[in-house]
Amino acid sequence: MLHGERMAPVLRACARVLQRASSKYGVRHLSSPGIEMPPCDHQPMAYSGPEYDHVRKVRNSNLNPALATHFKEPLLIHSGHMQWLFDHNGKRYLDLFGGIVTVSVGHCHPKVVAAATGQMNKLWHTTNIYLHPKIHEYAERLTETLPGDLKVVYFVNSGSEANDLAMLMSRLYTGNFDIITLRNAYHGASPYTLGLTAHGTWKYNMANGFGVHHASNPDPYQGLWGGFRDSPIQSTRANESKVEGGECSSAEKYVGQLDEVIKYSIPKGKVAAFFAESIQGVGGSVQFPLGYLKKAFDLVRANGGVCISDEVQTGFGRTGEHFWGFQGHGVVPDIVTMAKGMGNGFPIAAVVTTPDIAKTMSQALHFNTFGGNPMASAVGLSVLEALEEDKTQENCKVLGTYFLQELAKLRDEYPTVGDVRGKGLMIGIEMVSDKTTRTPLNSATMMDIWDSCKEYGVILGRGGLYGNVFRIKPPMCITQADVDFTISVFRHVLDKTVN
């Protein structure tokens, strides 16, 4: 008979076997009658890393203390397969946050894995002062997805780095200094991009944002005016405005706010750039009133500036109807920044602009050691191919619309579900304590809902200034069965938590 410490490894091994079995065959991890997790044939390898408690200890002692850990009992993720994640015990989860909107075609997508390993066996890295084939193949293929004269690529390694470079580029090209972003926007947390970001949650008590101005956020739910947005589901405040010629009347009012920033805060005709996400990501999937972005672009250009679309979260088909989020607004930016889903989790990002603007950077040497390295380029190219072969953009459009429509039923049924919004698989659920005042739901209840969904096998993200928006931005390979499972779990959790 085994006793004490010798028995513990055996019990842990038995637990892992049971968890793996329940993961594979869809057995629920908590009691939830009528709710079954969709099956998955993938069998993850057994976990062989350090014990959970030791990992928590290292996390607390040896890693960045500002690194937020989700959930009351953080997940120790061990393995991934397409839309699924597995923890150290083999328990399976439906990943609806995609590594913060980063996993596009699926965790460990076989095509991307093959491209990465194939390139690793051939050439990991060489400087771009030499020629290597993959960066050229990739640059050509990537620019084919963009409209107009957006043909010159600067490869970097992260979204913050891309926006950093776009700021520099816009100031050099225009000869102007002042840049405008929107309140509630997130464009990075590097020392330079921290000024672009207009979220107090991410701000340090230090000088930042010299020359950056934040205009009023055109939010059809929480903003000064309601509005119609490009979504299958409209805000409950949509009727505060009207639509004529495809433009919402509140768009003109918000553009008036932008015009005031330009008139009062910036030398006449001296705007350098205007940054905008096609749908705000960290801010909680906020969409703009119909026609706002087009009018804003026209105003900025009339005042000497260039227009920059931050497609870090909305690019690569996620919004469904178009490959790039800005296309849904009927605009063509002067500069586009991209990252996250671009590499399906591999660190790669880019700035794409016109040949005319690109010439500006020739005033001095510009070089990025790892940007567009052979491995990154091979991965990026394989992601583009997988997006096309798997028809993920079409999946985003069809399933995203279905997902939003099902969530809207919950909004109409539950007093705490204030707003459901988004397009494709870029979805937000804003939780409130009062639908009339739109007061954010308190953090304790939000945590209870968030944690409970996780315990039932559904991983959601959170966003918004008050952390009261559930963010749904999954790998774009999810199925209708996954959506139905999520709706069942969310309804079950709401019944237990807030009813």
Side-chain angles (χ1 to χ4, degrees):
M1 183 178 292
L2 296 173
H3 297 280
E5 294 182 357
R6 288 194 293 170
M7 189 65 182
V10 176
L11 293 174
R12 284 195 294 269
C14 291
R16 282 195 290 268
V17 170
L18 290 171
Q19 291 284 9
R20 284 196 295 271
S22 65
S23 295
K24 181 173 182 179
Y25 296 108
V27 178
R28 298 304 310 124
H29 304 300
L30 292 178
S31 176
S32 49
I35 304 176
E36 288 192 1
M37 179 178 280
C40 171
D41 292 332
H42 178 73
Q43 183 68 48
M45 294 178 63
Y47 178 70
S48 60
E51 292 292 330
Y52 181 86
D53 290 342
H54 184 70
V55 171
R56 293 290 302 273
K57 180 181 178 181
V58 172
R59 179 83 165 199
N60 293 331
S61 302
N62 304 112
L63 286 175
N64 169 15
L67 189 61
T69 305
H70 283 192
F71 308 116
K72 292 175 183 175
E73 185 176 346
L75 288 171
L76 176 52
I77 298 299
H78 159 53
S79 180
H81 173 73
M82 301 306 285
Q83 67 267 50
W84 304 105
L85 289 173
F86 301 82
D87 70 11
H88 63 298
N89 289 318
K91 180 176 176 179
R92 180 162 57 97
Y93 300 86
L94 177 61
D95 180 13
L96 293 186
F97 202 25
I100 313 184
V101 208
T102 299
V103 179
S104 50
V105 294
H107 292 282
C108 299
H109 190 289
K111 187 179 188 72
V112 182
V113 171
T117 53
Q119 188 61 50
M120 287 176 71
N121 289 327
K122 190 182 302 180
L123 178 68
W124 280 40
H125 179 78
T126 185
T127 171
N128 284 325
I129 62 174
Y130 308 133
L131 301 180
H132 66 84
K134 283 300 174 186
I135 190 173
H136 301 87
E137 292 177 52
Y138 186 34
E140 184 175 42
R141 179 68 182 85
L142 181 63
T143 54
E144 287 173 354
T145 70
L146 289 150
D149 212 18
L150 293 164
K151 296 300 178 188
V152 183
V153 186
Y154 292 78
F155 286 114
V156 292
N157 308 288
S158 72
S160 292
E161 197 176 340
N163 285 331
D164 212 56
L165 178 57
M167 291 176 74
L168 172 65
M169 193 179 287
S170 67
R171 284 169 166 163
L172 286 173
Y173 176 72
T174 63
N176 301 331
F177 188 71
D178 292 271
I179 293 174
I180 305 170
T181 65
L182 298 171
R183 294 171 195 158
N184 199 54
Y186 180 89
H187 296 288
S190 66
Y192 211 21
T193 58
L194 192 62
L196 295 178
T197 292
H199 254 258
T201 311
W202 297 86
K203 295 283 193 180
Y204 288 98
N205 185 24
M206 56 175 285
N208 68 81
F210 181 47
V212 178
H213 310 269
H214 300 132
S216 180
N217 194 41
D219 182 348
Y221 183 65
Q222 289 285 6
L224 293 172
W225 303 282
F228 287 87
R229 58 201 178 199
D230 183 18
S231 173
I233 308 300
Q234 296 301 324
S235 161
T236 53
R237 297 182 63 202
N239 60 4
E240 295 177 20
S241 62
K242 58 183 180 180
V243 177
E244 293 182 358
E247 294 183 353
C248 177
S249 58
S250 66
E252 188 67 42
K253 297 176 182 178
Y254 281 112
V255 170
Q257 297 282 301
L258 174 62
D259 191 34
E260 285 197 2
V261 171
I262 293 173
K263 287 177 177 176
Y264 285 95
S265 303
I266 298 174
K268 188 174 181 179
K270 296 296 183 181
V271 175
F274 172 65
F275 271 81
E277 301 162 88
S278 300
I279 299 175
Q280 291 178 333
V282 173
S285 303
V286 173
Q287 295 177 276
F288 310 138
L290 293 171
Y292 171 81
L293 208 58
K294 189 175 188 303
K295 289 177 178 291
F297 274 26
D298 289 343
L299 179 63
V300 167
R301 284 171 173 152
N303 283 274
V306 296
C307 298
I308 301 172
S309 285
D310 182 335
E311 293 284 331
V312 169
Q313 295 192 28
T314 49
F316 299 92
R318 180 164 290 279
T319 58
E321 191 174 359
H322 301 96
F323 196 80
W324 300 103
F326 64 77
Q327 292 173 305
H329 295 272
V331 299
V332 178
D334 304 293
I335 301 173
V336 181
T337 60
M338 59 191 74
K340 289 189 179 285
M342 183 178 189
N344 198 47
F346 195 94
I348 182 172
V351 178
V352 182
T353 189
T354 67
D356 190 38
I357 295 175
K359 290 176 184 176
T360 303
M361 297 300 294
S362 299
Q363 296 176 25
L365 290 175
H366 178 78
F367 180 72
N368 188 298
T369 299
F370 294 106
N373 68 77
M375 286 177 59
S377 297
V379 166
L381 186 59
S382 71
V383 169
L384 290 179
E385 293 170 350
L387 288 169
E388 184 176 352
E389 292 169 7
D390 297 351
K391 301 186 185 319
T392 56
Q393 184 178 323
E394 181 181 342
N395 197 50
C396 287
K397 182 178 180 179
V398 174
L399 276 186
T401 300
Y402 175 71
F403 213 151
L404 284 159
Q405 290 169 342
E406 293 300 301
L407 288 169
K409 295 175 184 177
L410 300 184
R411 180 197 63 183
D412 296 340
E413 183 177 344
Y414 292 91
T416 52
V417 182
D419 193 34
V420 169
R421 54 183 177 252
K423 187 178 179 182
L425 290 176
M426 184 88 178
I427 297 172
I429 310 167
E430 184 157 348
M431 306 296 290
V432 297
S433 60
D434 187 300
K435 284 192 175 182
T436 303
T437 62
R438 302 183 297 282
T439 303
L441 187 63
N442 67 81
S443 58
T445 305
M446 281 294 297
M447 179 60 81
D448 287 343
I449 298 170
W450 199 29
D451 260 333
S452 294
C453 286
K454 184 260 288 187
E455 290 305 312
Y456 283 108
V458 176
I459 298 177
L460 301 169
R462 280 176 65 183
L465 183 62
Y466 301 100
N468 68 311
V469 180
F470 288 117
R471 298 169 64 194
I472 296 177
K473 290 91 183 265
M476 297 186 285
C477 55
I478 64 167
T479 67
Q480 183 171 329
D482 299 331
V483 175
D484 291 337
F485 168 64
T486 301
I487 296 296
S488 296
V489 167
F490 200 55
R491 179 184 295 279
H492 182 71
V493 169
L494 287 176
D495 284 337
K496 289 178 57 180
T497 309
V498 298
N499 273 10

